[in-house]
Amino acid sequence: MTVSVTPATFSYVAFDAELIRSIAAGLLAALGMADHDVTIDVDETTPLARISCTIDESIHVHVDSGAFEDTRKPRQQSETATATALGRVLLRARDRLVGGFGEAPPDKELSLAQVAAWETYCIGRLQRFGVPVNQQRWRYNFRNRHGFSDATDAAFEQIWTSDGLTWDQLNAISESAAASAHA
Amino acid sequence: MRKFFPVEELARDERFNKITMRDRMGDPRTALNVSNDAPAKRPTNLRLTPDRSDASDGARSLMHGIFVGEIQALEGAGRTCWDFETGTEAPFALKLDMARQCWDEARHVEISVKLSDWMGGEIGQYAENTVLFEAACSTDPVLRLAGVNRALEGLAIDVFTTMKEFGDLAGDPYLEFCEDWMLADEVTHVKMGSDWLRKITEHDPDRRKKALEFQSVVDKLFSYGGTRSESQESPIGLARRFRELAGFTDDEVDDIAQLSMQALNERKSAVAQARADQMRDAAAQFATSAAAE
């Protein structure tokens, strides 16, 4: 396994490439992905917090600096934010590679509701791996995408506590929640 | 009790991290698309609406900004009650309005804490920019009214309108309801500022001019980097209708719209210039190393 981070030194933000690399390496080991090479490309010119990845023979992560930032201390890195952002994108990559997500559309074609459902699934598992998580943050995101209803909250709990979902199962829960909320 | 309290000494517990406008202006990053990058790399529409991919995080961050803004507005209105002598420096009825505003802001702080909790935020999760209280440090009560009640509370009208619409579109009943109620109070606060500014400076055009100039400076500061403008590149829009209800004339709203666009364009130019400088330095460095080889 190799993990490379660009840029090697940061000028817009006070981030540490070695810290990013070691967090990614730790996550890859914990998630059973130690046989994968990963490149992490940080766009330090934007404070937005988007993160995405593409997969070929390696996993390529593209991230805006806001995703790794300590929101209390602008331009400083947060280990927890780094672990949460990398963990959720690596879990999505793992789902695509080995987890019954072959039917899932490419990332760019996912609806906002599908993204929220998949992120809920990733963050729930990440919490069980020991990464500190504010569950209400993700519940609110799930509600924003599926509607504010008891059915939505039940769907969130089901996804959050699951471990072995396939894409079809995850998508079915998401669609059912959205339909109930809008009925 | 001391008068004219400095911003550096505002009481906060260990959860908070205060930053100044200088800190914010020192951040060279921007979400603005200044180089015609592909929208996937840099979005051209940054208005805070639920269809933004990072909408929940953006709304949570703005909610925290509202929360600390309410604390500072409470502190500012409270200081105005205390800092000036009744009668000689500030009429009793003005102080009564400021006392009423304190009561409103205290209620808004509580509402904001509960809304933050509902949205998955935590107290102190984001840095607190103290620029709002800085606008409340003027030694002239009229300038303070212009800076706090007309500029700061005017910004609050824009922010609450954006958040209310966000709640409406997302179907979040609590967010929409709470923002609507707080918005009504903010309109009243701006109206109080507009009324007192006109009344106190009725026979003192120089003082009124100075106050309006100060408001203009504060309005531009609050629009820094294009945070608030009528462009879709700004997360927060300008709430023309509610500003009219609050006593702003059409000309005044036009002026604020123009100032905000100016702030947005200045920021874009500064970022574009910084990028060009960086490219030039990199090219020079490459040429030097190539010549050495």
Side-chain angles (χ1 to χ4, degrees):
Chain A
M1 173 226 323
T2 62
V3 179
S4 62
V5 178
T6 52
T9 54
F10 294 87
S11 52
Y12 285 69
V13 290
F15 287 6
D16 180 351
E18 176 52 31
L19 179 61
I20 297 170
R21 199 204 61 74
S22 69
I23 290 172
L27 282 165
L28 286 167
L31 301 177
M33 301 171 73
D35 53 337
H36 291 280
D37 295 330
V38 175
T39 65
I40 302 169
D41 177 23
V42 182
D43 182 351
E44 60 170 336
T45 67
T46 173
L48 293 178
R50 298 169 306 173
I51 186 164
S52 61
C53 85
T54 51
I55 306 169
D56 46 35
E57 60 277 10
S58 301
I59 298 170
H60 305 282
V61 178
H62 316 277
V63 57
D64 293 341
S65 71
F68 291 168
E69 187 175 19
D70 181 348
T71 51
R72 290 185 77 245
K73 297 173 184 163
R75 300 168 71 191
Q76 305 293 313
Q77 189 176 352
S78 156
E79 285 192 45
T80 301
T82 305
T84 307
L86 283 176
R88 78 184 207 241
V89 82
L90 289 175
L91 269 171
R92 264 168 73 169
R94 189 181 78 169
D95 287 341
R96 284 196 186 278
L97 289 165
V98 297
F101 279 66
E103 303 300 314
D107 280 357
K108 284 179 184 169
E109 292 172 24
L110 291 170
S111 68
L112 291 172
Q114 288 171 326
V115 170
W118 204 343
E119 289 199 329
T120 300
Y121 182 42
C122 291
I123 299 290
R125 287 178 291 169
L126 215 51
Q127 186 186 44
R128 292 191 284 281
F129 279 116
V131 176
V133 165
N134 180 336
Q135 190 191 48
Q136 182 67 8
R137 170 185 170 189
W138 301 98
R139 184 181 287 112
Y140 185 72
N141 187 50
F142 192 81
R143 285 169 171 164
N144 260 331
R145 303 312 186 193
H146 293 85
F148 289 72
S149 72
D150 290 345
T152 294
D153 286 357
F156 174 86
E157 290 301 329
Q158 185 183 355
I159 295 171
W160 185 270
T161 52
S162 292
D163 271 312
L165 294 176
T166 64
W167 167 252
D168 286 341
Q169 290 169 328
L170 179 68
N171 194 37
I173 299 169
S174 171
E175 283 182 351
S176 166
S180 302
H182 298 119
Chain B
M1 195 164 81
R2 75 186 284 185
K3 293 195 171 187
F4 300 104
F5 203 75
V7 65
E8 298 79 19
E9 293 180 34
L10 287 176
R12 297 288 185 274
D13 66 30
E14 68 285 351
R15 289 172 296 181
F16 292 82
N17 181 43
K18 288 187 281 186
I19 60 166
T20 63
M21 200 62 188
R22 185 187 291 267
D23 296 326
R24 193 174 162 212
M25 290 166 103
D27 188 342
R29 299 172 301 163
T30 181
L32 295 169
N33 190 334
V34 293
S35 313
N36 291 322
D37 288 325
K41 185 169 167 56
R42 263 176 200 278
T44 49
N45 185 345
L46 291 167
R47 186 57 52 87
L48 185 56
T49 52
D51 55 3
R52 242 174 76 166
S53 62
D54 61 346
S56 303
D57 287 336
R60 187 179 307 106
S61 167
L62 185 55
M63 193 65 242
H64 194 275
I66 291 173
F67 159 61
V68 294
E70 298 293 356
I71 296 175
Q72 290 176 40
L74 166 58
E75 290 166 323
R79 296 309 312 179
T80 301
C81 287
W82 177 250
D83 286 346
F84 305 108
E85 292 298 323
T86 307
T88 52
E89 293 180 315
F92 177 75
L94 185 153
K95 290 193 171 189
L96 203 58
D97 274 349
M98 292 301 106
R100 177 248 154 106
Q101 190 173 324
C102 286
W103 171 238
D104 290 343
E105 307 295 10
R107 200 172 58 252
H108 294 180
V109 170
E110 290 196 20
I111 292 169
S112 301
V113 169
K114 288 183 179 175
L115 278 176
S116 278
D117 196 36
W118 161 253
M119 296 163 85
E122 292 160 23
I123 291 175
Q125 184 181 352
Y126 299 88
E128 176 185 7
N129 189 332
T130 51
V131 67
L132 306 183
F133 185 80
E134 284 173 58
C137 289
S138 173
T139 52
D140 182 341
V142 174
L143 263 66
R144 205 178 277 193
L145 283 170
V148 176
N149 283 67
R150 284 173 54 86
L152 191 164
E153 300 290 313
L155 173 69
I157 285 180
D158 302 330
V159 170
F160 285 136
T161 303
T162 298
M163 285 296 260
K164 176 182 174 308
E165 287 170 1
F166 184 99
D168 179 28
L169 290 169
D172 179 345
Y174 297 114
L175 184 63
E176 185 195 1
F177 180 81
C178 293
E179 297 294 331
D180 195 27
W181 278 67
M182 290 195 285
L183 176 58
D185 289 335
E186 302 301 348
V187 170
T188 306
H189 299 165
V190 176
K191 185 81 167 59
M192 290 190 308
S194 300
D195 290 348
W196 278 115
L197 175 69
R198 287 183 189 119
K199 195 168 177 179
I200 293 177
T201 63
E202 196 176 356
H203 305 296
D204 192 345
D206 284 347
R207 197 177 177 196
R208 178 179 293 184
K209 188 167 170 268
K210 204 189 284 181
L212 291 174
E213 281 169 1
F214 179 65
Q215 183 197 324
S216 191
V217 169
V218 177
D219 267 324
K220 193 166 179 188
L221 263 182
F222 288 162
S223 303
Y224 172 72
T227 306
R228 177 270 310 272
S229 84
E230 291 189 309
S231 164
Q232 291 296 313
E233 291 174 281
S234 297
I236 301 161
L238 195 64
R240 281 184 172 268
R241 176 66 188 134
F242 286 108
R243 279 178 173 273
E244 281 169 24
L245 290 173
F248 282 98
T249 64
D250 287 347
D251 286 347
E252 285 175 331
V253 179
D254 285 342
D255 285 345
I256 294 168
Q258 206 177 343
L259 264 179
S260 307
M261 283 305 293
Q262 203 181 329
L264 174 66
N265 289 329
E266 280 174 11
R267 178 66 175 154
K268 286 170 81 172
S269 301
V271 172
Q273 185 60 49
R275 295 240 175 103
D277 290 346
Q278 203 176 30
M279 294 281 281
R280 191 197 56 218
D281 292 347
Q285 203 173 9
F286 178 76
T288 308
S289 58
E293 284 172 16

